[in-house]
Amino acid sequence: MEITLALLLYFIRDLEPVTVKELENARYFLGAQQYWKNEIFQANKLKQNDIIFQKDEDYLYVARLSEILEDAESLHADMAILASADRACEEDQLKKIPGGLILVSGKYGVPYVLNRMINIFRFLTEWDKTMHIAALEGKNVQEMLNLSAEILEYPMTVFDSGFNVLAYTSALPTIATHFQETIRNGYTNAYTMSLVRQQRIFSKLEKQPLIVAPAVENPELQNVYMAFAADGNVLGYGYIFQNRTEIEMGYLDLRQI
């Protein structure tokens, strides 16, 4: 399964990762590996022997910052490294390291960080497989959301094209909102629809199937709106009640999956 860097970092928010250098091109990763000094040499050797192997850019490398600094000349711009900051370093020196670089506190050793990455890949791969099987078995939208309960952090509602509620997550906002009223009624009322139209949500969804826009309850906060279509026909809509001033890119990547 291919996973974005933003999604991987979303699942280690508790480690407070800091992106020092962004990757030049956004891409997906197939897994995580521990970096070691002879990695590039071994890769080139495999190439010469015509043995099939994954490219450096297919993996997120986990390392100690000290070894990355010592081996900077062996790195290249396509590599992405998640490093445990086991030593102090000036920002200018960090920015000279080729490729993408994300730091976590040195109190988190490489084995711990690497295991976290491996477990994230395993968890997401199993979830993705479960969802594919459920779809093939013809499970309905509510059953699909129930299967994803462990991974859906924010409340979500799925509507048909007539804005009747097809499914919703069991986690509801603790404050009274249009979201809760919609769940109780089983449909979106006229007042809420007027608020959505005022923000031109539907015209925006015609251009892209997932957007972040002001919440209808409070324009100072952000929520996520989705449209589901096939062969040019809209089948329904989704509404993710995050109700925050800023939406994590990693969670948006999760919703795309």
Side-chain angles (χ1 to χ4, degrees):
M1 181 181 180
E2 298 179 330
I3 300 173
T4 65
L5 180 59
L7 181 50
L8 291 171
L9 297 182
Y10 175 79
F11 280 102
I12 59 167
R13 303 189 308 285
D14 57 307
L15 304 188
E16 299 181 348
V18 176
T19 300
V20 178
K21 286 187 66 181
E22 299 274 0
L23 283 167
E24 291 184 4
N25 300 306
R27 62 174 186 269
Y28 296 89
F29 296 92
L30 297 177
Q33 290 187 359
Q34 182 173 352
Y35 175 82
W36 55 293
K37 287 191 174 185
N38 292 321
E39 185 75 43
I40 306 302
F41 170 76
Q42 291 294 334
N44 290 332
K45 184 178 178 181
L46 287 172
K47 287 178 184 177
Q48 293 166 7
N49 292 335
D50 293 326
I51 298 174
I52 297 175
F53 71 101
Q54 302 296 341
K55 297 176 292 185
D56 298 326
E57 57 265 33
D58 289 333
Y59 283 87
L60 176 65
Y61 285 90
V62 180
R64 289 181 290 110
L65 177 59
S66 57
E67 63 183 336
I68 292 302
L69 291 169
E70 292 171 4
D71 204 32
E73 69 278 0
S74 297
L75 307 178
H76 56 78
D78 288 330
M79 297 184 72
I81 299 170
L82 177 60
S84 171
D86 61 336
R87 55 156 288 183
C89 185
E90 295 292 334
E91 186 172 352
D92 289 344
Q93 189 178 2
L94 291 174
K95 289 188 178 296
K96 292 178 182 178
I97 297 174
L101 177 64
I102 303 100
L103 296 180
V104 296
S105 170
K107 68 182 179 181
Y108 303 112
V110 168
Y112 174 76
V113 178
L114 180 60
N115 282 343
R116 284 285 297 267
M117 286 291 107
I118 291 172
N119 286 335
I120 290 167
F121 275 96
R122 181 184 299 119
F123 173 73
L124 289 173
T125 299
E126 286 299 316
W127 169 67
D128 188 55
K129 182 172 69 174
T130 298
M131 294 294 283
H132 274 87
I133 293 173
L136 291 173
E137 292 176 345
K139 293 190 181 299
N140 62 38
V141 182
Q142 185 63 65
E143 290 174 307
M144 299 284 274
L145 279 188
N146 292 344
L147 288 171
S148 299
E150 187 178 3
I151 207 169
L152 297 176
E153 182 174 351
Y154 301 104
M156 178 179 180
T157 305
V158 179
F159 305 91
D160 62 18
S161 57
F163 293 94
N164 299 300
V165 176
L166 286 179
Y168 60 93
T169 55
S170 57
L172 295 175
T174 55
I175 58 174
T177 65
H178 293 300
F179 183 94
Q180 292 172 312
E181 182 181 352
T182 299
I183 297 302
R184 287 195 300 269
N185 294 339
Y187 61 89
T188 305
N189 62 35
Y191 175 66
T192 301
M193 287 295 294
S194 69
L195 295 177
V196 173
R197 289 194 178 95
Q198 286 175 19
Q199 295 183 26
R200 302 182 64 191
I201 297 297
F202 300 123
S203 60
K204 294 175 183 177
L205 286 173
E206 289 176 0
K207 299 176 182 178
Q208 56 187 67
L210 184 151
I211 62 170
V212 176
V216 295
E217 297 88 356
N218 183 349
E220 295 182 359
L221 301 176
Q222 300 285 307
N223 284 332
V224 181
Y225 302 82
M226 305 174 71
F228 308 105
D231 299 325
N233 299 313
V234 175
L235 303 178
Y237 298 92
Y239 177 59
I240 303 172
F241 186 85
Q242 296 204 172
N243 223 38
R244 302 180 60 182
T245 56
E246 187 176 349
I247 307 296
E248 297 101 330
M249 182 57 67
Y251 197 73
L252 294 182
D253 290 344
L254 176 65
R255 300 311 316 132
Q256 294 282 22
I257 298 174

